[in-house]
Amino acid sequence: LWSLGVEEQFYLLWPLLLYLIFKLINEHKHLVFIGMLVVSFGTCVYVTNEHQSAAFYLIFFRAWQFCLGALALDVWKTHVVRGSSVQWARRLGILLCLCSAMVFDSTTLFPGWRAAVPSMGAALVIIASANDTGSRWLAHPYAQWLGRMSFAIYLTHWPPIALYKAVRLTTPSFLDMVGLMGVVGVLSLFLHYGIEKQFYRRSFDHQKAWAGVPAWSVFLCLIMTIILTFSAHNSDSVTFRDVMLG
């Protein structure tokens, strides 16, 4: 739902908006980004209290995060933050991200002002990456591998959980979650190494670089089609169970 609600809007609209800003008002782009950030964040905080779903899914109320990322990238490129300030910015950014992961839960009113906590944390980590002496933790090979895998994990983590809940109509147990994590891990590995890395591979032999990928993609699409078809044909039983549980 997040991908349909916000991410696709970002891919379609944000590049066009950036092009217009850099083409027409490049000299004042920072003021534009800051103004958009303030207006979008203010309305996001206000709307979250009244219409949380709208604040979560509509791009206007999340545009401030895109602007924050653009400003963070600009600060990173210009190396404004230097010396010991970089280390403190990195530490604070990691701390904010960890606090969000540990404190926020399903009862947290989100996005609202609380979305600024992980967003600022991510922005600070981006800015701090300008330092030549990187973080010992973030520079570790395992941490970097996890970072490269993160997008694949993000794309594949929710469908297995959603399908589980649709079929079982219950919250996954600990063992079920371990099994679902295994499924997500397998899907993520395939997506990253089988498809995503192919886009970054600089090889003259394009046919070799993409060997087997179309077949695997078709195979996975067929599997998902079978699963969704099964769910559709069993929608009456799911509804019946919902009524019985209600």
Side-chain angles (χ1 to χ4, degrees):
L1 291 179
W2 166 262
S3 296
L4 295 176
V6 176
E7 188 181 11
E8 297 305 327
Q9 299 177 58
F10 166 71
Y11 287 139
L12 293 173
L13 300 179
W14 185 245
L16 176 60
L17 180 60
L18 286 180
Y19 173 79
L20 294 176
I21 291 175
F22 283 100
K23 188 72 173 179
L24 301 178
I25 44 179
N26 185 47
E27 296 182 358
H28 305 287
K29 61 179 181 294
H30 296 98
L31 294 177
V32 174
F33 285 134
I34 293 174
M36 292 172 57
L37 187 152
V38 172
V39 173
S40 177
F41 179 73
T43 54
C44 177
V45 173
Y46 175 78
V47 173
T48 298
N49 295 321
E50 302 294 333
H51 305 284
Q52 185 180 2
S53 295
F56 187 89
Y57 288 112
L58 297 183
I59 190 172
F60 178 79
F61 305 114
R62 308 302 292 272
W64 64 271
Q65 293 174 298
F66 306 148
C67 296
L68 180 62
L71 291 171
L73 179 62
D74 191 67
V75 173
W76 172 76
K77 290 174 61 178
T78 54
H79 301 278
V80 174
V81 181
R82 297 180 179 179
S84 60
S85 300
V86 174
Q87 299 290 343
W88 285 108
R90 181 186 297 120
R91 293 167 184 169
L92 179 58
I94 295 175
L95 179 62
L96 290 174
C97 292
L98 290 176
C99 287
S100 303
M102 293 185 295
V103 175
F104 295 172
D105 55 26
S106 59
T107 64
T108 302
L109 191 62
F110 196 88
W113 64 267
R114 295 168 182 82
V117 179
S119 299
M120 281 299 303
L124 288 172
V125 172
I126 292 173
I127 292 172
S129 64
N131 189 18
D132 294 333
T133 57
S135 168
R136 182 172 58 184
W137 291 357
L138 298 181
H140 194 279
Y142 289 120
Q144 294 184 351
W145 178 82
L146 183 61
R148 290 191 292 269
M149 288 289 300
S150 61
F151 188 64
I153 296 173
Y154 159 71
L155 289 178
T156 58
H157 82 281
W158 186 245
I161 297 175
L163 287 173
Y164 176 93
K165 291 183 176 180
V167 174
R168 299 293 299 274
L169 296 177
T170 183
T171 302
S173 64
F174 175 76
L175 292 179
D176 291 332
M177 286 302 299
V178 172
L180 289 171
M181 288 174 61
V183 173
V184 172
V186 172
L187 294 175
S188 301
L189 288 172
F190 167 77
L191 181 61
H192 177 69
Y193 289 103
I195 297 178
E196 185 179 357
K197 287 195 69 174
Q198 307 301 329
F199 285 100
Y200 303 116
R201 180 179 299 174
R202 298 297 183 261
S203 173
F204 292 102
D205 190 353
H206 296 290
Q207 293 182 351
K208 182 178 180 181
W210 285 93
V213 173
W216 277 105
S217 300
V218 172
F219 174 74
L220 287 180
C221 289
L222 288 174
I223 294 297
M224 291 300 299
T225 301
I226 293 173
I227 294 174
L228 293 175
T229 302
F230 173 80
S231 301
H233 283 291
N234 287 270
S235 59
D236 292 339
S237 61
V238 172
T239 304
F240 175 75
R241 282 184 289 173
D242 281 337
V243 173
M244 294 298 294
L245 291 174

